[in-house]
Amino acid sequence: AAFLGVYPVTVAAHEDITEGKRSDPVMESEEKEISVEMAEKFYEADSMLLFAAAFSELDEEAQGEWLARIYADGEIAFLSVCIDDLETDATDIQRLAKKAYADGETGFFSVLADHMSEKALERWLDKALKEEQIAFQAVLYDKLERNDEWDDMKAAVSAQQLEEYKAYGIVSDG
């Protein structure tokens, strides 16, 4: 609450009212430092909503650094509130999705997939199919709202697994 109460006053104090833009690069730098400090404070306090407000004021580079830290810390809830302000298919979203995919982190990937275009989701699905990443396939079929295809694929995989088990004398009854 302190951040939300103070920040608008800070911004207003540094706006050029006649032109509607910031007039002093030094003041802009100070505002960025304040946003970084506030983000750190709210992150440490586990205050997601206030952190998200501070995060939205950071420049793209600082946001990327925070997203990497949030991922490294395993803070999926913080990730979900932060990426709402990012553009669909933003570079940071795709970069973090690549990392989550490589690490096998389907939960993080799923949150990121909510902010991907259908075209990007299709590319990821093609990759997951090619690499036989079943957990990621499940996420992507769901995000693409193609659950019928996923159900068909699950049935085929189950049948294939049963055949493989039979080769070792393992059978299913019921």
Side-chain angles (χ1 to χ4, degrees):
F3 174 72
L4 295 176
V6 172
Y7 186 75
V9 173
T10 304
V11 171
H14 304 301
E15 295 261 341
D16 180 339
I17 306 280
T18 59
E19 295 182 10
K21 61 183 181 180
R22 295 190 175 112
S23 59
D24 186 350
V26 172
M27 294 298 182
E28 285 183 40
S29 176
E30 288 176 6
E31 289 172 10
K32 288 179 185 176
E33 286 178 33
I34 290 170
S35 294
V36 169
E37 289 172 12
M38 297 309 284
E40 182 68 40
K41 178 180 177 181
F42 295 136
Y43 186 74
E44 293 301 323
D46 206 27
S47 178
M48 281 186 285
L49 295 178
L50 292 175
F51 175 80
F55 179 87
S56 70
E57 296 299 322
L58 300 173
D59 63 23
E60 191 174 324
E61 181 182 346
Q63 286 180 340
E65 291 169 4
W66 268 106
L67 291 172
R69 178 176 172 185
I70 288 167
Y71 178 84
D73 291 347
E75 294 288 347
I76 198 167
F78 272 88
L79 176 71
S80 68
V81 297
C82 289
I83 62 174
D84 283 342
D85 286 333
L86 301 180
E87 296 289 323
T88 300
D89 294 334
T91 303
D92 285 331
I93 289 174
Q94 291 302 319
R95 182 175 42 245
L96 202 52
K98 286 178 186 175
K99 178 144 182 59
Y101 183 89
D103 293 346
E105 293 287 343
T106 54
F108 275 95
F109 185 89
S110 180
V111 169
L112 294 161
D114 286 335
H115 298 278
M116 293 182 195
S117 66
E118 186 173 341
K119 186 176 179 180
L121 292 170
E122 291 286 353
R123 285 192 308 265
W124 278 108
L125 179 58
D126 290 344
K127 180 177 177 62
L129 288 168
K130 181 180 175 185
E131 297 175 1
E132 298 181 355
Q133 294 292 325
I134 295 172
F136 288 95
Q137 292 172 25
V139 168
L140 292 158
Y141 275 117
D142 181 60
K143 301 297 180 186
L144 288 164
E145 298 179 359
R146 292 168 41 187
N147 293 321
D148 291 343
E149 289 178 55
W150 173 241
D151 290 341
D152 293 344
M153 182 169 289
K154 282 192 310 189
V157 167
S158 292
Q160 179 184 358
Q161 286 176 336
L162 287 175
E163 288 302 314
E164 290 173 9
Y165 289 146
K166 284 181 186 177
Y168 293 98
I170 302 170
V171 294
S172 173
D173 184 16

